[in-house]
Amino acid sequence: MGKKHSMQLMEIEEFILKSEGEWSSMRSGHSIAFKQFEEVVSTIKITLLNKNSIKVNKFLQESSYKVEDILMPFEIEWEGESNWDQNNNSFSGKSLLIPIANSEIILRSSGYAENIKAISKYSFLSDGTIKLVTTYEHTVSEERIWFIHKNVRCRSSLIRGINKDLILQTSFASEVRKINE
Amino acid sequence: MGKKHSMQLMEIEEFILKSEGEWSSMRSGHSIAFKQFEEVVSTIKITLLNKNSIKVNKFLQESSYKVEDILMPFEIEWEGESNWDQNNNSFSGKSLLIPIANSEIILRSSGYAENIKAISKYSFLSDGTIKLVTTYEHTVSEERIWFIHKNVRCRSSLIRGINKDLILQTSFASEVRKINE
């Protein structure tokens, strides 16, 4: 990391640093069309990665960006259970996220709405809430994440059709930092 | 309503006008300490009131404000069922809300966290999301409401202790406009 960045962090870097760690998440999904609730309990782990790590470099080789273009890459891992489908379903996964400097985009190795590589556009609201918009082939996901305490994050999201009028699902997660890992 | 207001609406008035109508709500509550989910389905009706109506005047008589001080009073009525306590519990209620001109407060005949008269302070984020903070005797509620479509509102809230470190509950509602009332 260059001297400039160690002196003055970008807003996105501050956000990533605050998010680093292990979180216990309660998430509720609302299927708008069917008026169905989903409840998900999971553990989310957010880890900073070295810019020169093999993972990051492998991903960059498949992109049009170089290591000089990127800020603070990180990985999100999740593991949990959903009550969807009556049965309790276990799931887990991980995603590599790479913010690009001097732009407002994050490269993702797998996306939220569809499990493929994706690019998220982000912006910050006046109170520090981050908004992420990711366009997939058939859907668009819009997420917002904000801290209500240094150890509690809220995350709301919606998945809509490319046609803006069709909202498929909203969801909301309360994420509490695991203190004694 | 004076000429100035009919020509140029205040941000809060625009928000109230967009919210007027009947909404079908799915709400999820997350009890942070006990990791419990609550699911609530309800109907919410938001009605504009005349500044000179008996209801509004009666409320103002018990306050330090006059009819000249107020903007666009409205009433919220709700009726629904919660799955809290294993049993399905029906509930209903209503609240009168009166925004005060040249300030950022709304008088409420009954509050969200505690069923007593309350004053909410509000502000708008850069994307039009309204944030409402209401301080009660033992708790503080923070709500944010935003439109993801002209017919879909999202509403998140948290209830915390007066001591900022204790977060009791978060919740999230997806509210879809009922088109054919």
Side-chain angles (χ1 to χ4, degrees):
Chain A
M1 201 182 293
K3 234 182 187 168
K4 195 182 160 202
H5 282 129
S6 60
M7 299 294 283
Q8 195 186 348
L9 290 170
M10 305 289 290
E11 206 168 13
I12 185 69
E13 292 175 312
E14 278 181 32
F15 191 87
I16 295 165
L17 285 176
K18 282 167 73 179
S19 298
E20 189 186 13
E22 206 167 330
W23 301 84
S24 174
S25 167
M26 294 176 72
R27 190 167 80 89
S28 293
H30 296 171
S31 143
I32 299 297
F34 300 104
K35 274 204 192 182
Q36 279 178 326
F37 288 87
E38 181 187 16
E39 294 174 0
V40 182
V41 174
S42 65
T43 294
I44 295 171
K45 195 174 170 184
I46 299 176
T47 315
L48 299 193
L49 297 176
N50 191 298
K51 281 189 187 180
N52 296 305
S53 63
I54 294 170
K55 269 183 200 170
V56 171
N57 273 278
K58 196 168 165 245
F59 190 83
L60 287 178
Q61 278 167 22
E62 296 164 11
S63 80
S64 56
Y65 296 96
K66 293 181 182 166
V67 70
E68 299 81 44
D69 301 325
I70 72 174
L71 298 169
M72 210 175 271
F74 61 105
E75 188 167 61
I76 303 181
E77 293 168 88
W78 57 90
E79 197 179 322
E81 280 185 5
S82 160
N83 74 340
W84 204 248
D85 273 345
Q86 311 303 328
N87 308 311
N88 275 27
N89 299 314
S90 297
F91 61 89
S92 65
K94 62 183 172 179
S95 180
L96 173 63
L97 291 97
I98 304 180
I100 302 300
N102 305 314
S103 78
E104 297 204 312
I105 65 169
I106 298 177
L107 311 183
R108 299 168 89 131
S109 69
S110 65
Y112 171 73
E114 298 179 21
N115 189 24
I116 50 168
K117 276 189 196 178
I119 296 174
S120 296
K121 289 184 193 166
Y122 69 84
S123 57
F124 284 92
L125 299 184
S126 42
D127 73 336
T129 300
I130 190 171
K131 281 177 74 171
L132 292 146
V133 178
T134 314
T135 303
Y136 300 95
E137 194 180 355
H138 304 293
T139 55
V140 176
S141 97
E142 296 180 14
E143 291 173 82
R144 44 176 76 198
I145 307 170
W146 65 101
F147 284 84
I148 59 174
H149 180 280
K150 73 179 185 345
N151 295 327
V152 188
R153 298 192 339 163
C154 290
R155 186 159 54 93
S156 72
S157 73
L158 70 99
I159 299 172
R160 60 175 172 81
I162 293 281
N163 162 5
K164 195 155 186 167
D165 270 351
L166 183 65
I167 291 163
L168 302 166
Q169 203 206 40
T170 59
S171 78
F172 177 73
S174 307
E175 300 174 345
V176 179
R177 191 186 296 278
K178 291 190 164 184
I179 303 291
N180 300 306
E181 297 175 25
Chain B
M1 199 182 292
K3 235 181 188 170
K4 195 181 160 202
H5 284 128
S6 59
M7 299 293 284
Q8 195 185 348
L9 289 171
M10 306 286 292
E11 207 167 11
I12 185 69
E13 292 177 312
E14 278 181 32
F15 191 86
I16 296 165
L17 286 176
K18 280 166 74 178
S19 298
E20 189 186 13
E22 207 167 330
W23 301 84
S24 174
S25 167
M26 294 175 73
R27 189 166 80 88
S28 293
H30 296 171
S31 144
I32 299 298
F34 300 105
K35 274 203 191 183
Q36 279 178 326
F37 288 86
E38 182 188 15
E39 295 173 0
V40 182
V41 173
S42 65
T43 295
I44 295 171
K45 195 173 169 183
I46 299 177
T47 315
L48 299 192
L49 297 176
N50 193 299
K51 280 188 185 180
N52 296 305
S53 63
I54 293 169
K55 270 183 199 170
V56 172
N57 273 280
K58 196 168 166 246
F59 190 83
L60 288 178
Q61 277 166 23
E62 297 163 11
S63 81
S64 57
Y65 296 96
K66 293 181 181 165
V67 70
E68 299 80 44
D69 301 324
I70 73 173
L71 299 169
M72 213 176 269
F74 61 104
E75 191 167 60
I76 303 182
E77 294 168 88
W78 58 89
E79 198 181 323
E81 281 185 4
S82 162
N83 74 339
W84 205 246
D85 274 344
Q86 312 303 329
N87 307 311
N88 274 27
N89 299 315
S90 296
F91 62 88
S92 64
K94 61 183 172 180
S95 181
L96 174 62
L97 291 98
I98 305 182
I100 303 299
N102 304 316
S103 79
E104 296 204 313
I105 65 169
I106 298 176
L107 310 182
R108 297 168 89 130
S109 69
S110 65
Y112 171 71
E114 299 178 20
N115 188 24
I116 50 169
K117 275 188 196 179
I119 296 175
S120 297
K121 288 184 193 165
Y122 69 84
S123 57
F124 284 92
L125 299 184
S126 41
D127 73 336
T129 299
I130 190 171
K131 281 178 73 171
L132 291 146
V133 178
T134 314
T135 304
Y136 301 95
E137 195 180 353
H138 304 294
T139 55
V140 176
S141 96
E142 296 180 13
E143 291 172 83
R144 45 176 77 199
I145 307 170
W146 66 99
F147 284 83
I148 58 174
H149 180 278
K150 72 180 185 348
N151 294 327
V152 188
R153 296 191 343 162
C154 290
R155 185 159 53 93
S156 72
S157 73
L158 69 99
I159 298 173
R160 59 175 173 83
I162 292 282
N163 162 4
K164 194 154 186 166
D165 269 352
L166 182 64
I167 291 163
L168 302 166
Q169 204 206 41
T170 59
S171 79
F172 178 73
S174 308
E175 300 174 345
V176 179
R177 191 185 295 278
K178 291 192 163 183
I179 302 292
N180 300 307
E181 297 175 26

